[in-house]
Amino acid sequence: RGDAGSGSSDEGAADEEEVRCALVEFVRGIKARKWTMELGQAYTVGRSGTGAAIEVDHPSLSRRQCSLAITRVESGLVLVALDQGSTNGTFVNKERLAKGVGLTKSLAEIKFLAFGECPNGYRILTMQGAPTGDRARSRSRSPKPGATTNRRKEASGDDSWERKAQAALRMKAEAKRRETAARQPPRVPQGPNRRERRAAAAAAAESSSVRSGASNAERSKAAPGEIDWPEDWR
């Protein structure tokens, strides 16, 4: 009987372990943002600036795109999604949700989510948190070997997350800058200004006068009165 009681207490303690869930945004395959989601709580997804719990920066989303909630059932964690009549739709595994019809699907079967025409992908990630109650206190007194190493790995993972998020934002800004530069018309080289045109006209006039003077000199040299004609020709 003592063994059976011990087994039931272990199972109860295991049930007390918290599960942390988050909706993660991927920009070109890199994690950019995340929103923590608590079990049993509904979250509204909407366009940026609308005051929704989860705001997505893309104009194709509606003010109230959809509602998402994660809950626990006997078989495990499930996602409950409801499209509230969005214009461009909400997609789960490339399947568009029917407006006003709720969807309940196991998290293990969900590969990604999509909202409207936003090119970014979204996934729901889960992580087992620290246990609660007496079991957590007993573990805090006698930490497992390598706990410090795990904490260091988690800290380095957070730093890596931030670096990847910053890299994704830089890539997005660079793509927007290139797109803006491609839309601008090419610059047309401008001709000479007024001063240059005047100088060119003066140079052309001077050259013309020089040529005219030389031509007159040649004609004066070839005048008939100055030619030494033979005696029998006069």
Side-chain angles (χ1 to χ4, degrees), residues 190-209:
Q190 308 215 349
N193 53 28
R194 183 179 298 177
R195 182 178 298 177
E196 293 176 350
R197 291 197 297 269
R198 288 180 178 177
E206 183 178 358
S207 176
S208 177
S209 62

Side-chain angles (χ1 to χ4, degrees), residues 156-200:
S156 62
D158 294 339
D159 295 340
S160 177
W161 180 289
E162 294 295 335
R163 288 195 300 269
K164 290 181 179 180
Q166 294 176 3
L169 294 177
R170 287 195 299 268
M171 292 172 61
K172 186 176 181 180
E174 180 65 18
K176 187 175 182 180
R177 185 187 65 81
R178 292 181 179 178
E179 183 180 358
T180 303
R183 291 178 179 177
Q184 294 179 353
R187 293 185 178 181
V188 179
Q190 308 215 349
N193 53 28
R194 183 179 298 177
R195 182 178 298 177
E196 293 176 350
R197 291 197 297 269
R198 288 180 178 177

